[in-house]
Amino acid sequence: MRYLGFAVVTGAAMLLGACGGGDKAAETTPEAPAMEAPAAEMAPAAGAAQAITGTIHEVKMIGDATYRYEPAELTVKAGDGIKFVFVSGGPHNVAFDATLLPADVKTQLMANMPNQASELMGPMMLAAGEEYTLSLAGITPGTYEYFCTPHLAMGMKGKITVTP
Ligand SMILES: [Cu+2]
């Protein structure tokens, strides 16, 4: 019973401590909705897929002695697209790590990537000749990395640099 009593006192002290923190949280709460509002307003405009208006570049997906995209690094203009072509050694796909992308690029890529198996992950391609075309229209200029989910550990990665 003594221990129980002690626990109750400790609990009460923690509650008091929590109340102290609560006051600070209450002071900052009004700012939170204001910060979220602009993002919510931007979402509908950036959420629409944008079609390719420029050149379509080809990247081969190869698995033989090594697993790789060819070319692994590609510079494109905003509005261009990339056609990934399965050549050998699959399954292959194209996936982006959301944590490495600016918020606006993530939103636009999610809109532009057809048939996503999950967020920012293209469908698994199983046979030679299969293609996956990705539009880079509306993507803010920058360099973005992608990878093949099944072969990430084998270093199957690529880099797309989008220029204005
Ligand atoms: Cu692969």
Side-chain angles (χ1 to χ4, degrees):
M1 288 304 283
R2 272 186 201 167
Y3 285 115
L4 188 60
F6 181 73
V8 169
V9 170
T10 306
M14 286 172 69
L15 278 173
L16 284 171
C19 283
D23 288 339
K24 281 179 189 170
E27 284 168 21
T28 56
T29 300
E31 290 175 21
M35 285 172 67
E36 285 170 19
E41 284 168 17
M42 283 171 60
Q50 294 195 31
I52 297 167
T53 54
T55 307
I56 296 179
H57 306 264
E58 189 172 306
V59 172
K60 294 181 170 68
M61 308 165 106
I62 301 171
D64 43 35
T66 62
Y67 292 92
R68 62 197 185 275
Y69 296 100
E70 270 187 17
E73 296 189 17
L74 196 59
T75 298
V76 307
K77 283 190 158 49
D80 285 358
I82 299 180
K83 181 168 79 176
F84 293 90
V85 181
F86 185 126
V87 174
S88 58
H92 300 299
N93 72 353
V94 177
F96 293 84
D97 181 345
T99 65
L100 300 178
L101 299 174
D104 66 320
V105 172
K106 179 190 165 188
T107 302
Q108 191 62 56
L109 268 178
M110 282 181 65
N112 285 7
M113 287 179 76
N115 307 320
Q116 285 166 70
S118 64
E119 188 177 280
L120 296 170
M121 185 192 290
M124 205 57 72
M125 295 157 69
L126 304 173
E130 280 188 51
E131 298 174 357
Y132 183 71
T133 302
L134 171 65
S135 168
L136 295 165
I139 301 294
T140 304
T143 298
Y144 309 111
E145 296 180 24
Y146 61 91
F147 58 89
C148 172
T149 309
H151 302 124
L152 174 59
M154 283 83 125
M156 187 167 173
K157 297 181 213 172
K159 232 181 245 188
I160 303 165
T161 297
V162 179
T163 61

